[in-house]
Amino acid sequence: MKKNNAFLDMESQIKKLGYRMTKPRQMVFKVLTKTTEHLLAKEIYLDIQKKHPDIGLTTIYRTLEILAKIGLINKFCIGDGQSRYELGWDFKEHHHHMICRNCGKIIDYKDFINEEITFFNRIEKFLSKNYKFAISNHEVFFYGTCDSCK
Amino acid sequence: MKKNNAFLDMESQIKKLGYRMTKPRQMVFKVLTKTTEHLLAKEIYLDIQKKHPDIGLTTIYRTLEILAKIGLINKFCIGDGQSRYELGWDFKEHHHHMICRNCGKIIDYKDFINEEITFFNRIEKFLSKNYKFAISNHEVFFYGTCDSCK
DNA sequence: CTTCATGCAAACTGTTTGCAGAGAC
DNA sequence: GTCTCTGCAAACAGTTTGCATGAAG
């Protein structure tokens, strides 16, 4: 997690790919650097609204799409029809998610990650070859019931 | 995979929980037993329409929700805002998914499953205890580019 | 000064809900 | 006969698009 130069990385990444650096893009990225949550587009929008009421929800969506395409952020879904966003893999330690089927709470965990990486590297190599599939990343979800919902 | 008695299982499962056995419910389940694909609600609807034009899309959604709650089918999403459905774990061998980020193609794989189960059982035990989380199942997704999209 | 990014309103899409009639048990 | 299930139409929510204006480089 190289948080110090996250913004520099972001700016150079954005410009390198021909995109322009604008306030909405800075803000969306900034919101995601300041939380460990997995935010909805609307939540990011509402947060930004507080200080920048001039930035619209449409722009948030367009920005999230670009940032996700570049890989600066991760987009994922837990099955409720909404997309959630978190900081990209380059800025956050490798981790996975536990999801409560009842309240939708998401818990990050990083336990066993080293073992997991070793194991998945082996699988990836095999799958890539056997299914002629170029694997870029993987995700693990555990589903169940969280403590307060039991 | 006990396909022979899948329908018996389904019927008893449904009735045991106080639901009624109806044609739409039979049909939805049947469509999913007859494919290895991961169908959208609309695809299931269109398939059923061919022989039963009287069954509506709303009913498909309501049926899918019930069957998923009971565990007769699995619901999952790959990030395009739509839900996909496949036969439940009891009727299908344990497997996971590779998803092409370009065309959305989904490939099932069952390789390394035994090793994986051993590994994940250990993780589950640890996570359950440490995060006070009752884990019911897990999912693994590999993302990348499929052969024909390369 | 050119080109890309933005905001607004309107469109779109998958899914859900209200309600009266039909069907399961 | 009771109570659940269904189909239809309408509502809903998240997301996307068209277009004229504004800002980045």
Side-chain angles (χ1 to χ4, degrees), chain A residues 93-106:
Chain A
E93 287 180 74
H94 191 80
H95 68 281
H96 291 301
H97 304 289
M98 274 180 283
I99 295 157
C100 177
R101 277 246 148 86
N102 188 251
C103 69
K105 183 177 178 184
I106 305 172

Side-chain angles (χ1 to χ4, degrees), chain A residues 124-135:
Chain A
E124 280 189 26
K125 198 168 285 181
F126 177 87
L127 296 179
S128 298
K129 194 173 149 193
N130 253 48
Y131 297 90
K132 300 190 189 344
F133 203 92
I135 293 173

Side-chain angles (χ1 to χ4, degrees), chain B residues 65-100:
Chain B
E65 195 191 340
I66 288 177
L67 296 183
K69 184 158 64 177
I70 296 179
L72 290 166
I73 64 174
N74 296 328
K75 172 183 182 175
F76 68 96
C77 59
I78 65 168
D80 63 352
Q82 300 175 76
S83 295
R84 279 148 217 279
Y85 302 87
E86 63 179 10
L87 219 50
W89 300 115
D90 289 347
F91 308 104
K92 231 181 155 180
E93 288 180 72
H94 191 81
H95 68 279
H96 291 302
H97 303 288
M98 275 180 281
I99 295 157
C100 177

Side-chain angles (χ1 to χ4, degrees), chain B residues 121-133:
Chain B
N121 277 347
R122 241 175 69 230
I123 299 190
E124 280 189 25
K125 199 169 286 182
F126 177 87
L127 295 179
S128 297
K129 194 171 147 194
N130 253 45
Y131 296 91
K132 301 191 191 338
F133 203 92

Side-chain angles (χ1 to χ4, degrees), chain A:
Chain A
M1 176 130 81
K2 26 179 178 172
K3 243 192 177 169
N4 311 335
N5 43 27
F7 289 99
L8 290 176
D9 279 14
M10 184 226 176
E11 185 150 357
S12 66
Q13 246 339 70
I14 288 242
K15 293 199 175 171
K16 191 165 69 186
L17 292 162
Y19 296 108
R20 290 175 182 177
M21 179 51 72
T22 65
K23 192 160 67 176
R25 289 172 186 179
Q26 285 172 325
M27 294 310 302
V28 169
F29 188 71
K30 191 176 171 190
V31 168
L32 288 170
T33 61
K34 286 196 303 189
T35 183
T36 58
E37 307 258 314
H38 314 80
L39 300 178
L40 303 170
K42 195 186 245 175
E43 291 173 328
I44 295 169
Y45 168 69
L46 289 175
D47 190 348
I48 291 178
Q49 275 283 304
K50 289 185 223 154
K51 300 215 170 178
H52 302 275
D54 49 316
I55 294 178
L57 181 55
T58 307
T59 302
I60 306 292
Y61 275 110
R62 283 194 273 232
T63 300
L64 288 169
E65 193 191 340
I66 288 176
L67 296 183
K69 181 157 66 177
I70 295 178
L72 290 166
I73 63 174
N74 297 327
K75 173 183 181 176
F76 69 97
C77 59
I78 64 168
D80 63 352
Q82 300 175 76
S83 295
R84 278 150 219 278
Y85 302 87
E86 63 180 10
L87 218 51
W89 300 113
D90 290 347
F91 307 105
K92 229 181 157 180
E93 287 180 74
H94 191 80
H95 68 281
H96 291 301
H97 304 289
M98 274 180 283
I99 295 157
C100 177
R101 277 246 148 86
N102 188 251
C103 69
K105 183 177 178 184
I106 305 172
I107 300 176
D108 288 2
Y109 75 88
K110 299 186 278 212
D111 312 282
F112 297 92
I113 286 300
N114 288 334
E115 261 183 273
E116 189 213 283
I117 289 175
T118 307
F119 179 56
F120 276 132
N121 277 347
R122 242 176 67 230
I123 300 189
E124 280 189 26
K125 198 168 285 181
F126 177 87
L127 296 179
S128 298
K129 194 173 149 193
N130 253 48
Y131 297 90
K132 300 190 189 344
F133 203 92
I135 293 173
S136 59
N137 68 307
H138 68 263
E139 271 174 15
V140 179
F141 293 101
F142 283 99
Y143 292 96
T145 313
C146 76
D147 194 23
S148 43
C149 282
K150 279 192 276 205

